[in-house]
Amino acid sequence: MGLKIKFLGPWEATANGEPVKVTGKRRVGVLTRLALSAGQPVPAEELLTQVWDQSTATTAGKQLHIVVSKLRGVLSPHQGDDIITTVSGGYQLNLACESIDAHLFTLLAHQARAAWAQGEIARADALFQRALALWRGNALADITASWAQIESARLEEEHLTALEDHSDLRLAVGDHHALVPALTAHAEAHPFRERPRAQLMLALYRASRSSEALAVYQETRRVMVDELGIEPGAVLCRLQQAVLRRDPALDLPSPAQRTMLTKPVIPAELPADTRAFTARATEIAWLRKTLTDTVRASPAVVAIHGPGGIGKSALAVHAAHAIADHFADGVLYVDLRAATAGFQPLSPIEALSRVLRSLGLDGAAIPPTLDEAADRYRSLTSTRNLLVILDDAFDASQVRPLIPAGPACAVIITSRQIMASLDMPRHLHLTGLDQADAAALFARLVDPGRVCAEPEAARQIVRHCSGLPLALRISAARLAARPDRTLSHLADQLAHPGRRLDALEHADLSMRDSIAVSLQHLPKEPAGHDAAHAFFLLGLLETPTHTVAAASALTDWPEHRAEAALDHLLDARLVESAGPGRYRMHHLIRLYAGEQAARHVPGDQRGPGSPPRARRTPGSRTNVTASSPSTGRQQSTPAPRPPHNVSPQPPIGSPGVRAGS
């Protein structure tokens, strides 16, 4: 829930639902004034003039500095050290507008009006109700300074306008019977506001209480003449005449045309959290802050990237569960299937059709073309507060139409590729778990009694899985399926390089499948052929780290061609960057590459022994045969030719955080 500041009623600050004690009139005043301008700088001179009430004390500036320092000390444990920053000539509160009730009220009321304009009556009604429920009394009632009185009057006018807009909506859909008591109380509390009295007259007329509607007009006229010396306005006068002649324009449309106030569609599509989720505390904290604690004018977008089996989807789902309550309009989840064995990635129009149905559109209302569907999606999300999970994405062109338009929305993308061409994502590069975290995950996945009985075998299993959560989960699944077998048995299988990938398969989980799917991320010929051939040859080497020069010598290609092949492997996450001009291959991927090389690369081109050193004609290309990713059986087709074209991207550094750090 994070830090919340509320002053639409008695002043209070809370963090995760617990009170935060802010004492002293000036501390409360400074914090409130900064909160009214959250995300924007407030000049120190303005704070002194307003909160210090025209004080000319020479120490006022120093007092302000002390007050801000004290506020930081109180708030930073709940929100971070940058909660109040010093800017040129003043200070700025860095807190999302949704965390300040006055700003949230304004946002919700705006969203409600926009939803009504788009014909989303039920959603508009729900938004108005949420906005109005934030009021617990008079705004800024605890602060008596003149600036607070001005702000209080402004907020109160916004409050009354929202109340009256909501009443108009309810009248438009035939809710007049239930509305009469609320309008009566509103009109009595504000006798000089003509709009609620006109609404009350219309509600009474539609409830077949015409005489009472006319009595409201007479009472309104008496009050205005006696107290203000003026007649009611033109709207009330015309309404009185319309009631007298029973004008059909006052009636509702026929019952078949009325829109009923039903509960709006709130998607809740987040998959179940992983029971054994372990570690990644730094990443989760970064995701929470990035997606919920920033003042923004556009959606918050985070792209999590890393090799297959590293735990991207598990992290995204776990983090989404932690922040889902920040998104009142629900959570959308789409599996884009870019790395699911046996499936093609969803096309953008397929993915858009799914999310539009989740947002309440029936099949006939979904536009048939990508551009029209994307326009409709942006329109539906422009005023919403949604969390969108785009899991297992193929490339930027697949996810770009799925980014919502509303600034109150947030998006988590997971992909093996770096989404470098998207406009505004923050990147999180995920790496393997360190030894301690990997051991902790394994211990949570496996029967603790078995781990305690064979601690050394457990350590060996964890070591052979090399920090990959998928490998650890497969190992745990094999042990659960064979309760009669010891951990030592599995450790012995994993210890043998030739049997390791066999041991990392169970049911629908397979390290081979996970690695093989990455080959589909390679571009089409001829670049894909080069990358696949280089991949096979690298699998024959004992060393995990390679340079462009070494790859050039290995393939007998010019360096620029070898570098292009390595970069394609980097995009597909078959190698990782190990520094400028250096590439590292995970040992499980190297085992798979070696298996494929043994089948695809002729023996004379592999040279004697393990490292292939035989020279070939410069620029020559080796003809290879592809094999089934899961079985390794040879096929009659050429080397892997994936059906999707991936634009090559240069390796870039990650501005995110590293796993296990």
Side-chain angles (χ1 to χ4, degrees):
M1 296 175 63
L3 180 66
K4 306 286 186 184
I5 297 176
K6 303 175 184 179
F7 42 80
L8 298 182
W11 195 97
E12 66 177 60
T14 61
N16 300 317
E18 297 297 323
V20 175
K21 191 173 183 180
V22 179
T23 58
K25 183 174 71 172
R26 285 176 175 168
R27 292 183 196 177
V28 170
V30 167
L31 181 55
T32 305
R33 181 61 190 85
L34 291 173
L36 284 165
S37 301
Q40 302 293 326
V42 179
E45 182 178 351
E46 187 172 317
L47 289 169
L48 289 169
T49 300
Q50 294 179 340
V51 179
W52 267 252
D53 198 19
Q54 303 295 333
S55 172
T56 58
T58 57
T59 60
K62 185 176 181 180
Q63 293 174 17
L64 173 59
H65 178 76
I66 293 172
V67 165
V68 170
S69 179
K70 294 293 186 182
L71 286 173
R72 286 171 176 156
V74 171
L75 302 178
S76 59
H78 310 290
Q79 198 71 20
D81 293 337
D82 61 347
I83 179 64
I84 301 177
T85 53
T86 302
V87 297
S88 178
Y91 300 94
Q92 178 173 310
L93 180 69
N94 298 308
L95 189 62
C97 290
E98 295 89 338
S99 297
I100 302 165
D101 63 353
H103 292 298
L104 180 58
F105 164 76
T106 301
L107 174 65
L108 292 172
H110 170 75
Q111 291 176 346
R113 295 180 184 108
W116 187 8
Q118 293 173 2
E120 297 182 80
I121 304 300
R123 182 165 178 271
D125 176 61
L127 287 166
F128 272 127
Q129 290 188 50
R130 282 182 57 206
L132 295 169
L134 294 171
W135 285 78
R136 300 166 293 112
N138 295 326
L140 299 167
D142 306 281
I143 305 175
T144 58
S146 57
W147 67 270
Q149 304 278 333
I150 295 170
E151 289 294 331
S152 176
R154 176 185 65 80
L155 290 168
E156 182 59 29
E157 181 60 31
E158 288 187 16
H159 181 209
L160 295 177
T161 300
L163 273 170
E164 292 158 10
D165 286 348
H166 189 212
S167 296
D168 275 344
L169 181 145
R170 294 176 64 186
L171 283 168
V173 297
D175 200 27
H176 43 267
H177 289 287
L179 193 54
V180 166
L183 282 174
T184 300
H186 184 37
E188 290 176 353
H190 304 279
F192 301 126
R193 292 182 73 88
E194 295 191 28
R195 185 181 178 192
R197 292 187 170 250
Q199 292 171 329
L200 177 57
M201 288 178 64
L202 181 58
L204 288 166
Y205 176 80
R206 288 180 176 174
S208 301
R209 297 162 66 178
S210 299
S211 60
E212 293 176 68
L214 293 171
V216 170
Y217 174 81
Q218 294 299 333
E219 175 62 16
T220 302
R221 182 178 183 277
R222 183 192 66 77
V223 169
M224 297 188 72
V225 170
D226 290 350
E227 300 292 333
L228 303 178
I230 58 174
E231 292 285 340
V235 171
L236 275 175
C237 292
R238 286 196 297 268
L239 183 57
Q240 182 217 20
Q241 294 301 311
V243 171
L244 287 170
R245 63 175 182 269
R246 298 186 178 277
D247 191 335
L250 299 182
D251 296 334
L252 276 170
S254 64
Q257 294 176 296
R258 298 179 188 178
T259 304
M260 301 305 295
L261 292 179
T262 57
K263 188 175 181 179
V265 174
I266 307 243
E269 300 179 344
L270 193 58
D273 200 0
T274 303
R275 176 186 59 82
F277 190 90
T278 305
R280 309 291 197 197
T282 303
E283 290 88 339
I284 292 168
W286 182 82
L287 286 167
R288 178 191 287 273
K289 185 172 181 63
T290 302
L291 294 170
T292 66
D293 290 344
T294 55
V295 179
R296 56 183 185 266
S298 58
V301 181
V302 165
I304 306 173
H305 58 87
I310 207 72
K312 302 180 295 295
S313 297
L315 173 62
V317 169
H318 187 74
H321 275 281
I323 63 174
D325 62 351
H326 286 263
F327 300 92
D329 291 322
V331 181
L332 291 170
Y333 175 87
V334 187
D335 182 358
L336 296 171
R337 299 194 317 207
T340 304
F343 290 90
Q344 296 295 321
L346 289 185
S347 67
I349 187 63
E350 287 176 318
L352 274 172
S353 296
R354 292 189 180 193
V355 297
L356 288 173
R357 283 194 292 271
S358 295
L359 292 173
L361 269 65
D362 60 35
I366 296 174
T369 68
L370 176 60
D371 288 344
E372 291 175 322
D375 288 344
R376 184 65 174 141
Y377 177 63
R378 287 192 293 270
S379 177
L380 285 174
T381 58
S382 63
T383 61
R384 299 208 184 201
N385 178 216
L386 278 167
L387 176 61
V388 182
I389 315 297
L390 303 176
D391 196 13
D392 197 10
F394 180 67
D395 60 11
S397 65
Q398 185 190 34
V399 303
R400 190 174 284 112
L402 299 169
I403 304 298
C409 295
V411 184
I412 304 176
I413 304 167
T414 72
S415 176
R416 297 190 182 190
Q417 287 201 42
I418 299 174
M419 296 288 164
S421 62
L422 286 181
D423 291 338
M424 299 172 292
R426 301 283 299 278
H427 295 282
L428 175 60
H429 176 56
L430 209 59
T431 58
L433 297 171
D434 62 25
Q435 192 72 9
D437 287 338
L441 174 58
F442 185 71
R444 297 188 69 178
L445 291 167
V446 180
D447 179 358
R450 298 175 75 178
V451 174
C452 292
E454 298 182 88
E456 180 55 35
R459 283 191 288 270
Q460 291 177 22
I461 293 170
V462 170
R463 184 171 65 253
H464 292 312
C465 290
S466 300
L468 279 183
L470 176 59
L472 292 164
R473 291 181 184 278
I474 295 172
S475 298
R478 287 180 67 91
L479 290 168
R482 299 287 186 270
D484 56 321
R485 294 187 182 173
T486 63
L487 271 65
S488 298
H489 179 78
L490 178 58
D492 290 342
Q493 290 180 307
L494 292 171
H496 193 291
R499 302 173 62 192
R500 191 168 300 155
L501 291 178
D502 292 330
L504 291 176
E505 289 189 4
H506 180 75
D508 61 340
L509 300 175
S510 167
M511 281 305 308
R512 279 195 183 94
D513 284 351
S514 177
I515 299 166
V517 168
S518 286
L519 291 174
Q520 298 176 5
H521 287 191
L522 297 176
K524 294 180 180 179
E525 300 285 17
H529 186 285
D530 279 0
H533 185 59
F535 174 71
F536 298 149
L537 293 182
L538 291 175
L540 296 172
L541 301 180
E542 295 296 328
T543 57
T545 304
H546 315 286
T547 64
V548 173
S552 174
L554 178 68
T555 57
D556 226 1
W557 296 337
E559 286 197 6
H560 68 85
R561 182 177 172 185
E563 184 174 21
L566 288 170
D567 282 345
H568 289 314
L569 295 177
L570 180 65
D571 290 339
R573 284 297 177 267
L574 292 168
V575 297
E576 290 291 306
S577 175
R582 298 176 66 83
Y583 303 81
R584 180 186 299 109
M585 184 179 283
H586 191 280
H587 92 272
L588 292 176
I589 297 178
R590 192 166 78 253
L591 286 176
Y592 177 81
E595 285 182 352
Q596 301 307 302
R599 298 181 177 98
H600 298 326
V601 182
D604 62 331
Q605 295 184 3
R606 282 183 267 135
S610 296
R613 298 185 182 276
R615 299 286 293 176
R616 294 174 296 282
T617 304
S620 66
R621 179 177 296 171
T622 303
N623 293 324
V624 298
T625 56
S627 64
S628 167
S630 58
T631 66
R633 292 191 295 270
Q634 288 191 343
Q635 308 289 321
S636 60
T637 56
R641 297 185 181 186
H644 298 282
N645 187 25
V646 181
S647 300
Q649 297 175 351
I652 64 175
S654 167
V657 291
R658 295 184 62 83
S661 60

